[in-house]
Amino acid sequence: MNEFLSDNIITMNDTKHVDEQLTINQTECPYEIEKCVKWIKSNNLVKVCLQFPEELLLDSVKVALNLEKCLNRKVYILGDTTYGSCCVNVINAQHINTDGIIHFGHACLNPVNQISVFHVLPKRQVDLTCFQDQLKEVLQDTNKKCILFYDVAYAHLIESIYTSLKLTFNNLILSYLNCTSNVEFTDNKSSSETVVLGRIYNLENNSTINDYDAIFLGENGKTFSTLAMTIPAKKWYYFENNQIIEFNVLNSPWLKRRRFLVEKLKDANIVGIVVATLGIKDYLKCISMVKNILKQNNKKTYTLSVGKIDPTKLGNFLEIDAFVVITCSENEIFDSRDYLRPILMPYEVDLAFNASRTFSTQYCIDFRQILPGGLNYCDLKTSKDADMSLISGEIRNTNKDNICIDKMDALVLKTPGVVAIGNAGAQFLQERSWKGVEQNLGQDSPCPAQVGRKGIASHYYNELLCTDKKDNMKT
């Protein structure tokens, strides 16, 4: 029925006779087969990949067979995701030079490069009457400026909600999704460049986002927290358990922990830049910006790409004092406490070392917004003044490592047979008490080969307990 390409792409063979159990009811299809077919034909796409989250992979074969039956051509299923299911998996799709991807399930809506994407958004139900009544009770003033955001799972309900609320609230603004999806009403149809976390909104003349109250139709999850931290609205509300609740960022323990990690970054000497996305637009520009900021502040850097990030992988780089992760805004890594070293985002690098940026309760989690042209961009101004660490109490910015930083791009011969870059990782290795298995060439006398251990690591045959047991059996 199927075969694997590049270990992560499944292609469905041309099947003329589709079993009845694999046929999806088109009238109640949550996968929007007809809209998918219409999008493929209207864009003249030849090779199309289907991307499913893990919870929907059970239906992937049914969807693929129905699409093939309607299109009379092959489609491909992405078997896994490189970094996260909410991001469009451009890298795996490029293995077959695909020209289009249909993404099913929850989406972070980060823009991608050089490929057409169609989102089939999930559909969740909500008590619309309760939401409208709660909103009228919380806002009260019908002339108050407010803007409506929503989780992508409620996009199919937004048209009726907005139409109803607009009758009561005169200054209500609706945000749109920066994508092409199965809910055409919510798709962005303007050429505005103000895109924040996949959302687009157009404010009234002579108004700023600080003049608006923001309402989020959805629970207090990762999507809401990233929006509330990034967009500096006057007040933020979210709808959970049939109640509209006000969100106060100052009471968030997450923000206090992030401030602590920023201080840890200032104390770090060696910083690892972890590339956890290869598809989001402008990620290369962000890497260059972070490297430049760290270099201006005498920090040694390594750029790493380890696939899906976990504590075990990053724990192998003991010489690195802190990691800066270039990733999707909805990645859960920034909430984890399982990592040996601090995990920071690009905005926090700018916050730590850019003297022109002042501290604010708003956090720019979307790294594209701190690049030139972004809403939160600030010109880089490096401070050379010494300051005191709030953690160790030591004086920083003494400029004692300038010579090392200038030579970070040159190969330096440290000792015979060992080549290292600068003195970052090499110096850490030299100062370690244990450096791994060393050859000691010319120092040890030669000896004949000997039989090694047998068995498994927890129970070798030549261990003392094992030999004693064998002797007892003989006696």
Side-chain angles (χ1 to χ4, degrees):
M1 178 66 69
N2 54 54
E3 58 180 331
F4 288 88
L5 297 179
S6 302
D7 297 331
N8 50 23
I9 297 178
I10 307 173
T11 175
M12 308 301 299
N13 293 332
D14 188 13
T15 306
K16 294 183 179 179
H17 303 286
V18 181
D19 295 338
E20 293 183 0
Q21 60 181 1
L22 295 179
T23 303
I24 297 179
N25 186 357
Q26 297 286 347
T27 59
E28 300 179 357
C29 176
Y31 297 101
E32 305 282 7
I33 299 296
E34 294 181 355
K35 292 184 179 180
C36 292
V37 171
K38 180 180 177 180
W39 177 75
I40 294 172
K41 292 182 177 180
S42 61
N43 289 275
N44 298 321
L45 304 179
V46 178
K47 290 185 177 180
V48 177
C49 287
L50 311 181
Q51 179 180 339
F52 297 85
E54 292 184 2
E55 62 270 16
L56 298 181
L57 278 176
L58 291 175
D59 295 334
S60 60
V61 174
K62 300 178 184 179
V63 176
L65 288 174
N66 277 267
L67 283 175
E68 286 188 349
K69 182 179 179 181
C70 297
L71 296 170
N72 195 24
R73 73 183 74 164
K74 291 182 179 179
V75 296
Y76 302 83
I77 300 174
L78 298 179
D80 60 2
T81 56
T82 307
Y83 298 106
S85 59
C86 65
C87 299
V88 178
N89 198 349
V90 177
I91 301 302
N92 286 352
Q94 288 178 342
H95 291 168
I96 57 169
N97 296 322
T98 185
D99 48 9
I101 297 178
I102 300 179
H103 182 280
F104 297 89
H106 176 74
C108 57
L109 304 181
N110 283 310
V112 298
N113 293 317
Q114 301 174 349
I115 197 167
S116 299
V117 180
F118 183 78
H119 288 277
V120 178
L121 304 177
K123 295 181 179 181
R124 294 173 59 185
Q125 300 301 321
V126 67
D127 190 341
L128 302 183
T129 304
C130 179
F131 174 71
Q132 294 175 10
D133 293 340
Q134 285 282 319
L135 188 59
K136 294 176 183 178
E137 181 179 348
V138 170
L139 296 182
Q140 295 182 353
D141 185 5
T142 57
N143 293 320
K144 181 177 292 187
K145 293 183 177 180
C146 50
I147 181 170
L148 179 62
F149 294 91
Y150 45 91
D151 189 277
V152 295
Y154 300 116
H156 65 290
L157 302 174
I158 288 300
E159 183 175 5
S160 59
I161 293 176
Y162 178 69
T163 303
S164 177
L165 290 177
K166 192 64 175 176
L167 299 175
T168 304
F169 297 96
N170 302 322
N171 295 319
L172 177 66
I173 293 177
L174 179 66
S175 64
Y176 293 91
L177 306 180
N178 185 40
C179 66
T180 302
S181 71
N182 58 314
V183 187
E184 187 177 354
F185 176 78
T186 62
D187 296 348
N188 172 41
K189 301 177 180 62
S190 66
S191 58
S192 173
E193 297 181 358
T194 307
V195 182
V196 182
L197 298 172
R199 270 72 176 177
I200 294 178
Y201 51 88
N202 295 315
L203 305 178
E204 297 178 356
N205 295 333
N206 301 323
S207 298
T208 63
I209 189 62
N210 305 96
D211 301 327
Y212 286 81
D213 289 348
I215 302 97
F216 180 77
L217 177 57
E219 301 176 351
N220 184 10
K222 193 62 179 177
T223 302
F224 169 73
S225 61
T226 53
L227 283 170
M229 289 287 185
T230 303
I231 300 176
K234 182 191 300 183
K235 290 183 179 180
W236 269 97
Y237 302 92
Y238 62 92
F239 185 68
E240 188 174 45
N241 296 329
N242 290 334
Q243 287 186 339
I244 292 183
I245 305 172
E246 183 178 352
F247 175 75
N248 190 349
V249 65
L250 293 177
N251 295 334
S252 172
W254 182 89
L255 183 62
K256 299 175 183 178
R257 172 171 168 76
R258 301 316 302 178
R259 289 295 295 158
F260 169 75
L261 295 181
V262 170
E263 289 298 319
K264 296 284 287 185
L265 177 63
K266 292 181 180 180
D267 290 343
N269 292 319
I270 304 175
V271 180
I273 302 174
V274 184
V275 184
T277 178
L278 297 176
I280 299 179
K281 188 177 181 180
D282 296 331
Y283 79 95
L284 290 176
K285 294 181 181 179
C286 185
I287 295 174
S288 300
M289 185 202 72
V290 171
K291 291 180 66 176
N292 179 56
I293 294 176
L294 294 173
K295 183 176 181 180
Q296 293 293 328
N297 288 272
N298 301 331
K299 306 295 182 182
K300 312 175 188 72
T301 62
Y302 289 106
T303 304
L304 311 172
S305 180
V306 295
K308 289 185 178 180
I309 302 175
D310 58 55
T312 304
K313 291 180 180 178
L314 297 188
N316 292 322
F317 303 96
L318 293 178
E319 66 272 25
I320 294 179
D321 300 318
F323 294 94
V324 179
V325 182
I326 315 294
T327 185
C328 164
S329 57
E330 296 190 16
N331 198 313
E332 300 287 344
I333 186 175
F334 301 114
D335 300 327
S336 176
R337 297 174 180 265
D338 298 332
Y339 291 84
L340 182 64
R341 297 287 189 256
I343 304 295
L344 298 108
M345 58 188 69
Y347 170 77
E348 291 169 327
V349 177
D350 202 41
L351 181 62
F353 302 117
N354 191 348
S356 62
R357 185 179 294 280
T358 58
F359 172 75
S360 172
T361 55
Q362 300 298 327
Y363 246 65
C364 184
I365 301 179
D366 185 358
F367 66 79
R368 299 178 64 248
Q369 300 305 320
I370 64 173
L371 298 175
L375 294 178
N376 295 88
Y377 172 74
C378 288
D379 293 330
L380 178 60
K381 180 182 178 182
T382 304
S383 175
K384 298 299 182 181
D385 298 333
D387 67 332
M388 179 178 291
S389 170
L390 299 179
I391 298 176
S392 63
E394 298 179 354
I395 302 298
R396 297 184 295 220
N397 293 344
T398 56
N399 297 328
K400 61 183 180 179
D401 293 327
N402 280 342
I403 298 178
C404 171
I405 296 297
D406 294 337
K407 296 182 178 181
M408 279 298 292
D409 295 332
L411 289 176
V412 181
L413 188 65
K414 301 298 292 182
T415 57
V418 178
V419 176
I421 299 179
N423 68 348
Q427 181 179 356
F428 176 83
L429 181 62
Q430 291 176 354
E431 294 175 353
R432 291 186 63 175
S433 60
W434 185 80
K435 303 177 182 179
V437 180
E438 300 179 357
Q439 297 183 11
N440 295 328
L441 298 176
Q443 301 179 20
D444 299 331
S445 57
C447 61
Q450 299 178 356
V451 178
R453 294 181 177 182
K454 296 181 180 179
I456 60 177
S458 62
H459 192 70
Y460 291 115
Y461 293 136
N462 58 344
E463 287 184 345
L464 182 61
L465 293 177
C466 188
T467 54
D468 291 343
K469 191 178 294 184
K470 287 184 178 179
D471 293 340
N472 295 331
M473 292 177 63
K474 291 181 180 179
T475 58

